[in-house]
Amino acid sequence: MDIVPDPIEAYAAAHTTPPTELLAALAEETRATMSAPQMLTGTVEGRFLELLVFGTGARRVLEIGTFTGYSALSMAAALPEGGRIDTCDIEAKHVEVAQRYIDRSPYADRITIHLGPALETIAKLEGTFDLVFIDADKPNYANYYEAVLPRLSARGLIAIDNTLWSGRVLDPQDEHSQAIAALNDAIAVDERVVAVQLTVRDGVTLVRRR
Ligand SMILES: C[S@@+](CC[C@H](N)C(=O)[O-])C[C@H]1O[C@@H](n2cnc3c(N)ncnc32)[C@H](O)[C@@H]1O
């Protein structure tokens, strides 16, 4: 099931500031060389994340799931002076592409990629986060949520990607769908937080602590 019908998605993309040449090249290489290029956030969600960083003034960003670097580079574009992004991924071949494009961007000094399981990286990182973007392996979503919730800064936000999972959360049959649906249900009644489920792309949930 498409969350947003294709013509509306195309209209939204056409009425969103186009990607930079570098991001367009990154998206093209990802489509040509990666087995699951649809994992890349793309124009609408990339700009959404960029504006989220800009609007909140986030200085310290944690990304769980780098892939080829599209969302990290999108968010880096809006960081204030001194801001930085820690991003993690478990696949060396994803990190290689991401690092190559990060090195070609003006933001190489703002983005650090950590190769390894995200939960280990989160445990090693110090301090609090102004924005956490959760976009990695779905069975671990609840673990990521619990690991980062206590680490949010006073006005910090978590953005969780794919929370509608092509509509499969309505009747979750497989492990990934069930993991996402269970987290959605838990967040909806979690008295520690205020949350909104957005229908951007494949579903994005924004969460803040009370
Ligand atoms: C949906 S993609 C991320 C997309 C990326 N945010 C973008 O916009 O292009 C998910 C990524 O999570 C990574 N991943 C899977 N399991 C992981 C784990 N345990 N720790 C860290 N990264 C993991 C995958 O290798 C994959 O690159």
Side-chain angles (χ1 to χ4, degrees):
M1 177 197 298
D2 288 334
I3 303 305
V4 183
D6 282 347
I8 298 291
E9 193 73 66
Y11 185 89
H15 293 82
T16 295
T17 307
T20 60
E21 271 182 31
L22 187 74
L23 280 181
L26 164 54
E28 196 180 318
E29 177 173 338
T30 302
R31 277 192 294 273
T33 63
M34 292 289 154
S35 56
Q38 74 283 356
M39 293 202 297
L40 183 144
T41 42
T43 303
V44 173
E45 194 175 358
R47 289 291 183 194
F48 173 70
L49 291 168
E50 176 186 340
L51 292 179
L52 205 55
V53 172
F54 183 86
T56 59
R59 300 178 69 80
R60 179 104 198 268
V61 175
L62 170 65
E63 174 176 70
I64 303 173
T66 316
F67 192 36
T68 51
Y70 194 101
S71 45
L73 281 165
S74 297
M75 293 188 282
L79 282 175
E81 195 63 36
R84 64 193 170 96
I85 297 178
D86 288 289
T87 180
C88 32
D89 206 289
I90 205 167
E91 289 284 349
K93 66 177 185 292
H94 298 172
V95 166
E96 182 276 317
V97 178
Q99 191 64 62
R100 193 153 36 79
Y101 280 89
I102 288 167
D103 289 344
R104 282 170 59 186
S105 80
Y107 314 121
D109 59 344
R110 303 181 184 178
I111 305 174
T112 305
I113 303 180
H114 304 266
L115 179 62
L119 285 169
E120 289 179 17
T121 300
I122 296 166
K124 278 185 213 149
L125 292 171
E126 292 181 349
T128 59
F129 305 105
D130 303 315
L131 177 67
V132 180
F133 182 45
I134 299 178
D135 190 19
D137 49 322
K138 311 313 170 196
N140 261 320
Y141 260 31
N143 293 329
Y144 297 143
Y145 176 76
E146 290 300 338
V148 300
L149 190 62
R151 307 278 303 273
L152 285 183
S153 61
R155 298 187 66 83
L157 289 179
I158 306 174
I160 311 170
D161 201 18
N162 307 108
T163 49
L164 293 173
W165 202 231
S166 303
R168 291 192 289 272
V169 287
L170 298 180
D171 181 21
Q173 296 294 331
D174 59 281
E175 185 198 7
H176 288 215
S177 307
Q178 285 164 359
I180 295 170
L183 178 61
N184 289 342
D185 290 347
I187 290 174
V189 295
D190 188 344
E191 294 189 347
R192 299 170 296 174
V193 306
V194 177
V196 59
Q197 165 83 74
L198 302 174
T199 51
V200 174
R201 207 178 70 107
D202 193 30
V204 178
T205 298
L206 295 182
V207 183
R208 75 161 173 88
R209 270 203 322 220
R210 286 186 192 273

